[in-house]
Amino acid sequence: MGYKFYIYEENSIAKSLSEMKGEDGVKRNFLDQFYTIDPETGEYIIEIGLNSYDDIFNSWDSSVYNIRDLDASLKSFLEECSYDIDLRNVITLRFHMQNEKEDVNVEDTVIAGLRNYFNYRLHFIKKEMDQQRKKVVSYVVVSLVLTFFSLYLPKVIEGEIMFKIILQAIQLGGWVFLWEAFTIGFLQGRGPRKVRKEYKRLLDAPIRFQYKKEKR
């Protein structure tokens, strides 16, 4: 299968826009060298060169286009491009078809397949985030219970060495569960939240097709 995922070298439009970025320019200038930028909207255009419609989808999946899985190389390419481009920027997907003739009906089916895949990914990311939230809530509850016992028990039980050891273990357990809740909710949770935003942007991205002009 002949894959060519293009990020075209850009013209003076990208250069002129990058020069207008100001102090933020180092990163933006670098990206602007590799991505096409729409001169009217400022959208970043991800250029994808393919031989045929089939190249968009997994060759092992024999389902119709609108429910097929995407090709692994295309997935990686789209994810890398989306990661590169700041989430504040709108993106457009533009497929350059080398060996296909324009067919609006097939285009609509392919677009539906792409949208279904992005929705599918969003569903599982949301499911993962829901599981993380449940863990955070359960860890916070356990931490509060352990903290309550660590504060209440000394008032009703006279302390001995063994009791003090157990009490310290309970206090430590309360802090451990609280730290785990913080780690999952604020540190580990950043990754899925960012990926969700990236896939939401891909889901909403306009999708265009361009075809190789026949020589006369």
Side-chain angles (χ1 to χ4, degrees):
M1 296 198 175
Y3 279 99
K4 291 183 182 178
F5 297 131
Y6 299 134
I7 305 180
Y8 289 110
E9 290 186 10
E10 200 33 47
N11 47 35
S12 58
I13 295 171
K15 292 179 181 177
S16 61
L17 285 174
S18 63
E19 289 170 0
M20 296 169 62
K21 305 300 182 183
E23 296 178 357
D24 176 37
V26 176
K27 183 177 179 181
R28 299 300 297 273
N29 283 341
F30 180 76
L31 282 180
D32 292 351
Q33 296 176 46
F34 298 99
Y35 289 94
T36 306
I37 300 177
D38 190 306
E40 296 181 358
T41 64
E43 295 177 0
Y44 279 70
I45 302 174
I46 299 176
E47 311 274 12
I48 306 144
L50 301 170
N51 287 323
S52 68
Y53 295 116
D54 286 332
D55 290 346
I56 297 173
F57 299 97
N58 189 334
S59 59
W60 294 97
D61 191 343
S62 60
S63 308
V64 293
Y65 284 152
N66 59 346
I67 58 172
R68 282 173 70 177
D69 188 19
L70 293 193
D71 175 80
S73 299
L74 179 59
K75 288 181 196 176
S76 298
F77 179 76
L78 292 176
E79 288 170 359
E80 288 173 9
C81 290
S82 184
Y83 179 82
D84 282 342
I85 300 170
D86 193 284
L87 286 168
R88 291 171 295 183
N89 296 309
V90 179
I91 61 174
T92 295
L93 307 182
R94 186 156 64 191
F95 291 91
H96 295 260
M97 313 305 297
Q98 303 299 310
N99 301 322
E100 294 281 3
K101 292 184 179 179
E102 184 175 1
D103 188 324
V104 176
N105 292 328
V106 177
E107 284 183 9
D108 290 342
T109 306
V110 168
I111 291 172
L114 289 164
R115 303 288 188 217
N116 287 340
Y117 172 75
F118 297 144
N119 266 319
Y120 169 82
R121 291 294 301 143
L122 281 169
H123 169 74
F124 278 94
I125 293 167
K126 183 179 182 298
K127 192 173 180 180
E128 180 184 350
M129 293 177 68
D130 288 342
Q131 290 175 345
Q132 285 186 337
R133 277 192 286 268
K134 288 178 182 178
K135 278 187 179 181
V136 169
V137 171
S138 63
Y139 287 168
V140 168
V141 170
V142 172
S143 175
L144 291 174
V145 170
L146 292 176
T147 301
F148 170 77
F149 277 113
S150 71
L151 296 174
Y152 177 73
L153 288 178
K155 298 177 181 178
V156 296
I157 302 177
E158 290 296 329
E160 295 182 358
I161 294 177
M162 196 63 188
F163 171 73
K164 289 180 179 179
I165 292 174
I166 295 173
L167 184 62
Q168 288 180 354
I170 292 174
Q171 290 174 334
L172 179 61
W175 283 109
V176 168
F177 276 99
L178 187 61
W179 175 251
E180 278 295 312
F182 175 80
T183 301
I184 294 172
F186 294 96
L187 301 181
Q188 296 178 5
R190 289 180 180 178
R193 284 196 293 270
K194 186 175 187 300
V195 173
R196 184 184 64 175
K197 290 178 181 178
E198 289 175 357
Y199 269 99
K200 181 66 171 65
R201 180 172 62 174
L202 286 168
L203 176 64
D204 296 335
I207 298 174
R208 310 277 185 254
F209 292 87
Q210 285 192 355
Y211 299 86
K212 192 174 181 180
K213 294 181 179 179
E214 296 182 2
K215 295 182 179 179
R216 295 183 179 179

